[in-house]
């Protein structure tokens, strides 16, 4: 039986990882450490909160003493580090929080792990620090350039990606210098349940339902490689089980899409849903599809993101050949599942959008944080 400390487990990918792990490995113990920033949502963990092998701790990864005490008292052997400031646009508007959490926060975790696992000798051999990172550290590609491999030089372009690159280097340094058992994964764009509606796919989905403008940056030709979030969890699982210490692994969907094509696809899938389910017209009267109109009439090309990376693409040869990784969910299937999830979980996104889940946290987290 393993005991995992999952940082940022109340966020989008972290929560999906917790659900994946507790389903796959029900005998393991999982502790989530999360500061519940605007992006963290305790409701994302509601399905597991009552389990005796789960614990939620409300706290900051920058609190090194708290992390050390959790590692000791819970006898943690595996730390999976998701906690971060993750939205590129916010990093452009205000980089400070990104440097604080993504760089200093990661360093705080590394210090705590080294102290407890190596200096104090709890799990001196059998420990793992897994760092969750992004393909954005490699910078941008032209349409012709080959996809990012693990050997591509780092060239981060936004304050977000620069802060993630710095954290990747710190993780590398703690392995090289101190011998901490680390692995890192650099993943492409994720989508799926619990995705915070400031990011492209949930934002577009919910704006269509409400008949609001769909803001497409620039001319919409920027390209991202999309991966269903459960397939990211599966990739991390393989790295934890079979990955080489000190190694980095790229995880991706080999699934490149122009932003404008994704937006048009979601417009079309919502129209299909409305055509087969009359009740949606009553629930979402402002959606163009409710009046039999085209959803893509909502598209508006807006001022581009400053420094907007043109294209990301991941070469997954290494993780495929070394660890046998292959995504399980096709894009068509994943995007339909995601749309269904948003239609089935209106309470979740309404609370996220009107901020009332923050009130809910204030009254309820004390009971959940134990
Ligand atoms: P998210 O913004 O949805 O969630 C981040 C979580 O971290 C939240 O629960 C937040 O409360 C928590 N957090 C933030 N600061 C904290 C702090 N100081 N202490 C403790 N908890 C804190 O992010 P996400 O999209 O789930 O991304 C998770 C990780 O995966 C990040 O490291 C991100 O860089 C990486 N990543 C994301 C994507 C993507 O497409 N979203 C792709 C590749 C890699
Ligand atoms: O309103 C929008 N309009 C738009 O055209 C938004 C929010 C985004 N976009 C574009 C910008 C990007 O080219 O869509 C693309 C995707 O944007 P985001 O959802 O903000 O994701 P991105 O900037 O690609 O970063 C994401 O993937 C890599 C995550 O937020 C990062 O945390 C992760 O590391």
């Amino acid at each position: 039986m393993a005991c995992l400390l999952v940082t940022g487990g109340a966020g989008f990918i972290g929560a999906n990882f917790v659900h994946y792990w507790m389903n796959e490995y029900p005998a393991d113990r999982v502790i989530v450490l999360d500061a519940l920033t605007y992006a963290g949502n305790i409701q994302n963990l509601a399905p597991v909160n009552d389990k005796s092998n789960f614990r939620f701790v409300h706290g900051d990864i920058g609190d090194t003493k708290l992390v050390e005490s959790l590692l000791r008292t819970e006898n943690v052997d595996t730390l999976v580090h998701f906690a971060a400031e993750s939205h590129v646009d916010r990093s452009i508007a205000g980089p400070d929080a990104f440097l604080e959490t993504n760089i200093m926060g990661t360093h705080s975790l590394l210090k705590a792990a080294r102290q407890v696992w190596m200096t104090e000798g709890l799990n001196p051999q059998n420990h793992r620090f897994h760092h969750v990172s992004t393909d954005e550290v490699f910078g941008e590609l032209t349409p012709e350039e080959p996809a990012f491999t693990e050997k591509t030089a780092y060239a981060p372009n936004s304050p977000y990606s620069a802060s993630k690159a710095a954290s990747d280097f710190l993780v590398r340094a703690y392995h090289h210098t101190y011998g901490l058992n680390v692995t890192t994964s650099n993943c492409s764009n994720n989508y799926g349940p619990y995705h915070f509606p400031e990011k492209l796919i949930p934002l577009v989905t919910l704006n269509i339902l409400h008949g609001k403008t769909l803001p497409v940056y620039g001319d919409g030709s920027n390209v991202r490689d999309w991966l269903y979030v459960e397939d990211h969890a599966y990739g991390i699982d393989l790295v934890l089980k079979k990955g080489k210490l000190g190694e980095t692994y790229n995880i991706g969907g080999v699934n490149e899409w122009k932003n404008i094509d994704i937006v048009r696809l979601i417009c079309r899938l919502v129209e299909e849903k409305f055509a087969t389910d009359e009740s949606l017209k009553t629930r979402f009267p402002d959606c163009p599809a409710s009046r039999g109109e085209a959803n893509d009439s909502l598209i508006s090309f807006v001022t581009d993101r400053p420094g907007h990376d043109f294209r990301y693409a991941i070469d997954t040869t290494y993780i495929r050949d070394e660890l046998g990784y292959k995504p399980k969910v096709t894009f068509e299937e994943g995007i339909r599942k995601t749309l269904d999830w948003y239609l089935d979980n209106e309470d979740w996104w309404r609370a996220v959008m009107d901020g009332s889940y923050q009130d809910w946290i204030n009254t309820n987290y004390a009971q959940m944080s134990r």
Side-chain angles (χ1 to χ4, degrees):
M1 185 181 121
C3 181
L4 277 69
L5 177 61
V6 179
T7 73
F12 162 48
I13 307 176
N16 277 286
F17 176 82
V18 168
H19 297 310
Y20 168 93
W21 198 271
M22 296 195 74
N23 197 34
E24 290 290 318
Y25 306 104
D28 285 356
R29 183 158 170 77
V30 174
I31 321 291
V32 164
L33 173 64
D34 198 295
L36 298 179
T37 66
Y38 80 94
N41 186 344
I42 193 78
Q43 293 184 21
N44 296 356
L45 296 166
V48 294
N49 191 51
D50 289 340
K51 297 194 176 197
S52 59
N53 57 339
F54 176 80
R55 177 181 170 196
F56 177 76
V57 179
H58 184 215
D60 198 305
I61 57 169
D63 185 346
T64 314
K65 292 288 165 212
L66 169 65
V67 179
E68 285 178 5
S69 128
L70 287 173
L71 293 174
R72 276 187 211 107
T73 53
E74 293 285 355
N75 195 12
V76 171
D77 48 39
T78 306
L79 192 159
V80 189
H81 175 33
F82 293 93
E85 289 294 335
S86 70
H87 191 39
V88 174
D89 292 327
R90 284 182 190 254
S91 85
I92 294 166
D96 298 65
F98 287 72
L99 275 60
E100 190 59 39
T101 293
N102 300 358
I103 305 176
M104 300 310 288
T106 301
H107 187 232
S108 162
L109 294 173
L110 288 164
K111 277 193 297 184
R114 178 177 170 230
Q115 168 64 26
V116 174
W117 284 335
M118 303 188 70
T119 310
E120 295 173 20
L122 182 82
N123 295 319
Q125 307 298 331
N126 188 26
H127 64 261
R128 176 73 69 85
F129 187 111
H130 181 76
H131 177 54
V132 179
S133 192
T134 169
D135 59 0
E136 301 201 14
V137 297
F138 300 118
E140 66 177 345
L141 296 167
T142 62
E144 298 78 28
E145 278 177 305
F148 303 129
T149 72
E150 287 76 2
K151 301 215 177 325
T152 304
Y154 275 33
N157 288 321
S158 71
Y160 163 70
S161 54
S163 68
K164 291 297 290 187
S167 66
D168 294 8
F169 288 151
L170 284 167
V171 172
R172 176 190 157 89
Y174 265 67
H175 175 71
H176 191 83
T177 304
Y178 304 117
L180 192 72
N181 293 347
V182 309
T183 40
T184 294
S185 48
N186 294 86
C187 191
S188 61
N189 285 55
N190 285 215
Y191 69 99
Y194 304 111
H195 205 178
F196 196 83
E198 66 185 352
K199 308 280 171 67
L200 181 72
I201 288 182
L203 181 129
V204 163
T205 305
L206 298 181
N207 280 14
I208 294 172
L209 295 177
H210 293 104
K212 289 190 188 163
T213 298
L214 311 179
V216 175
Y217 299 163
D219 64 2
S221 62
N222 299 64
V223 174
R224 298 290 181 267
D225 170 30
W226 293 94
L227 181 72
Y228 192 62
V229 63
E230 249 175 50
D231 277 329
H232 186 181
Y234 168 57
I236 293 171
D237 182 0
L238 286 180
V239 174
L240 286 173
K241 292 275 154 61
K242 303 201 278 181
K244 275 190 215 142
L245 297 179
E247 198 67 299
T248 69
Y249 295 87
N250 284 357
I251 305 177
V254 196
N255 176 45
E256 291 183 50
W257 282 76
K258 283 185 187 164
N259 292 338
I260 185 64
D261 293 338
I262 294 247
V263 173
R264 289 195 194 283
L265 173 70
I266 301 171
C267 286
R268 183 170 61 75
L269 292 180
V270 172
E271 282 163 15
E272 280 178 28
K273 282 270 163 205
F274 275 62
T276 55
D277 182 349
E278 280 294 314
S279 71
L280 292 174
K281 295 181 182 169
T282 317
R283 283 173 65 194
F284 305 108
D286 296 327
C287 178
S290 286
R291 304 183 293 276
E293 293 169 13
N295 289 332
D296 64 10
S297 60
L298 298 171
I299 290 174
S300 170
F301 294 95
V302 299
T303 308
D304 208 354
R305 172 185 278 175
H308 195 177
D309 282 339
F310 181 70
R311 172 177 166 242
Y312 305 137
I314 287 264
D315 181 336
T316 55
T317 307
Y318 187 59
I319 192 168
R320 186 195 66 205
D321 291 355
E322 292 292 311
L323 309 185
Y325 178 74
K326 187 171 182 286
K328 295 178 178 176
V329 180
T330 64
F331 191 60
E332 169 96 19
E333 195 186 340
I335 206 88
R336 284 181 194 279
K337 275 158 79 118
T338 304
L339 177 55
D340 286 344
W341 190 86
Y342 280 88
L343 289 172
D344 292 345
N345 288 275
E346 191 172 340
D347 289 351
W348 180 89
W349 53 258
R350 282 210 185 277
V352 168
M353 289 168 85
D354 70 13
S356 65
Y357 84 103
Q358 286 291 356
D359 301 336
W360 190 92
I361 287 166
N362 292 338
T363 48
N364 288 277
Y365 95 79
Q367 294 153 29
M368 300 187 75
S369 183
R370 57 192 152 83

